[in-house]
Amino acid sequence: MTVTESANASMVPLLAAARARELVALDSRLQALVDAGIAQGPEGTLVFAERLRGAPVSCKAFGDRVGFEAWVNKLRIADCSDALGVAPAIEQLGHALLLAHAIGALASRAGLASTVTISVERGVLFRFHGDRPGDRAWVLDVEAHREPIVVLGFSVR
């Protein structure tokens, strides 16, 4: 698996601070999402298996598969557990990075390329979507965003 990373200038110092904390384990609630795995949703989408049950059955309302995936797979990290709800944003960002690598590895093992977008705006937001030929990425230019943002790409090889 190859990982690419693109962060805007306002995210770079936050990433450095989060990585300096050297978190080695996900919050238990986030680990439960990883343990439940990812699944194929409607129209070949890639979603958290745990969220598939409550997901809409069509991507039409979202314009495309990427928009659907970014909506279904959106997490506000602070809302995932009581501990993360009171954790500093830098710690939440560290957990989001660990989650990104765990989800990227799951998708890669399933033969699917994926992209994770993490932004810091009124908390840490995590989104992921599959990468398929012909699909447009959720974020095309990180520098076009005012909020701190990083995009991580996970290839199959």
Side-chain angles (χ1 to χ4, degrees):
M1 173 178 74
T2 302
V3 181
T4 60
E5 180 177 297
S6 179
N8 65 5
S10 59
M11 180 59 104
V12 171
L14 299 177
L15 289 171
R19 289 181 171 133
R21 288 182 171 249
E22 298 182 1
L23 289 175
V24 294
L26 272 172
D27 175 85
S28 61
R29 182 67 191 103
L30 295 177
Q31 186 61 54
L33 272 175
V34 172
D35 292 344
I38 54 176
Q40 291 282 111
E43 301 171 40
T45 54
L46 182 65
V47 298
F48 284 119
E50 185 177 284
R51 296 224 166 154
L52 188 57
R53 282 175 262 123
V57 295
S58 170
C59 300
K60 288 179 184 162
F62 302 92
D64 61 14
R65 293 182 292 190
V66 170
F68 172 86
E69 291 167 330
W71 181 79
V72 171
N73 297 320
K74 177 182 175 182
L75 299 174
R76 182 174 297 281
I77 297 296
D79 294 343
C80 292
S81 76
D82 291 341
L84 288 173
V86 296
I90 294 300
E91 185 174 335
Q92 292 177 30
L93 179 57
H95 282 279
L97 290 167
L98 287 176
L99 179 61
H101 284 274
I103 293 299
L106 280 176
S108 183
R109 282 195 298 274
L112 302 165
S114 62
T115 296
V116 171
T117 303
I118 302 168
S119 60
V120 181
E121 182 183 15
R122 288 181 255 121
V124 176
L125 295 178
F126 175 99
R127 291 180 171 91
F128 85 89
H129 64 81
D131 290 337
R132 292 163 297 266
D135 282 351
R136 184 176 173 192
W138 179 252
V139 173
L140 298 173
D141 178 8
V142 295
E143 293 301 336
H145 292 263
R146 291 179 34 214
E147 76 275 10
I149 191 166
V150 61
V151 176
L152 299 134
F154 298 90
S155 69
V156 176
R157 293 192 177 122

